[in-house]
Amino acid sequence: KAGVTQTPRYLIKTRGQQVTLSCSPISGHRSVSWYQQTPGQGLQFLFEYFSETQRNKGNFPGRFSGRQFSNSRSEMNVSTLELGDSALYLCASGYNQETQYFGPGTRLLVL
Amino acid sequence: QKEVEQDPGPLSVPEGAIVSLNCTYSNSAFQYFMWYRQYSRKGPELLMYTYSSGNKEDGRFTAQVDKSSKYISLFIRDSQPSDSATYLCAMKMYSGGGADGLTFGKGTHLIIQP
């Protein structure tokens, strides 16, 4: 099976802009989670979608949002970008959260 | 106090040695425990997943969970230079009607010297 794919792989934006990241899960996986990884905070949970519904959300401001489509593909959006949003954004898919498989990530740089 | 504590290392050991990686946690609600390996500039790769206290073995890897002490370990036997990576512990609890996301340790940077 093909792994989790994320696009784009690299992105440079300026403060105040918005960005949309895309994730295609492994075929058959209905759970898609998003994580932010930074050197200071490590990996932090953003949200999880299951069958197009947000099932859980981490402690991030409302500028971070996401959605899942009927084919399980997911997007996350960050509005009004801040310098601190520079990070590796990881998408993970699975049949459940105990066995999540991560994609390669999208590296976002906010200038 | 952070929920999950993990020594960042680096931990440097000679090839062939047994490696011991550990995490401690504070919240007894954590029920599921995983170990991920992350190579530089890659996404984390699931190595081991366990629910109950005790040991689980998979090839050269053994995961150990002690819920009474809130302590988990990953042992790597016959370590190879290709095992050099950052190892992240992760854990999950159930709350209410849904499932929380994974809570990760900061990761231990492991170096296997040829």
Side-chain angles (χ1 to χ4, degrees):
Chain A
K1 277 186 182 179
V4 176
T5 58
Q6 292 186 246
T7 56
R9 293 292 312 277
Y10 303 93
L11 208 49
I12 300 175
K13 292 286 188 179
T14 57
R15 276 183 301 174
Q17 286 186 311
Q18 74 166 17
V19 66
T20 299
L21 312 180
S22 182
C23 171
S24 292
I26 293 171
S27 177
H29 288 180
R30 292 163 64 188
S31 167
V32 174
S33 298
W34 289 88
Y35 291 82
Q36 180 195 66
Q37 187 175 30
T38 60
Q41 299 298 318
L43 266 157
Q44 294 184 285
F45 172 68
L46 281 157
F47 30 67
E48 186 217 2
Y49 285 86
F50 188 91
S51 294
E52 301 180 64
T53 300
Q54 187 179 88
R55 193 157 69 167
N56 226 325
K57 191 175 190 303
N59 286 331
F60 278 82
R63 300 185 298 108
F64 292 82
S65 63
R67 59 178 175 168
Q68 187 180 31
F69 302 96
S70 58
N71 61 359
S72 293
R73 192 176 68 84
S74 178
E75 288 181 347
M76 71 161 278
N77 183 275
V78 188
S79 62
T80 318
L81 283 166
E82 301 176 0
L83 295 179
D85 296 333
S86 294
L88 180 66
Y89 289 89
L90 292 156
C91 169
S93 77
Y95 294 111
N96 50 52
Q97 278 206 356
E98 294 86 71
T99 50
Q100 293 269 298
Y101 297 88
F102 282 82
T106 294
R107 191 165 296 278
L108 172 65
L109 177 62
V110 182
L111 300 175
Chain B
Q1 182 190 11
K2 294 191 183 299
E3 280 195 297
V4 180
E5 299 278 359
Q6 185 176 11
D7 188 331
L11 174 63
S12 183
V13 301
E15 182 176 356
I18 295 175
V19 175
S20 173
L21 302 165
N22 311 294
C23 287
T24 59
Y25 62 96
S26 56
N27 193 333
S28 57
F30 285 126
Q31 298 291 323
Y32 300 88
F33 305 91
M34 307 94 191
W35 285 94
Y36 284 84
R37 176 175 64 194
Q38 186 173 26
Y39 292 111
S40 181
R41 310 195 80 77
K42 302 283 188 184
E45 171 193 1
L46 179 64
L47 287 175
M48 303 283 288
Y49 151 66
T50 184
Y51 167 71
S52 57
S53 285
N55 293 355
K56 181 177 181 180
E57 191 173 317
D58 184 1
R60 297 186 295 113
F61 298 94
T62 299
Q64 190 174 77
V65 174
D66 183 347
K67 288 186 178 179
S68 62
S69 301
K70 299 189 183 68
Y71 189 88
I72 67 170
S73 299
L74 177 71
F75 299 96
I76 307 174
R77 290 184 301 282
D78 187 26
S79 56
Q80 305 294 314
S82 59
D83 294 327
S84 299
T86 297
Y87 289 78
L88 300 138
C89 64
M91 37 199 89
K92 190 173 77 69
M93 65 184 90
Y94 271 105
S95 63
D100 289 329
L102 301 180
T103 299
F104 282 84
K106 289 283 189 71
T108 298
H109 183 206
L110 174 66
I111 301 168
I112 307 297
Q113 301 167 330

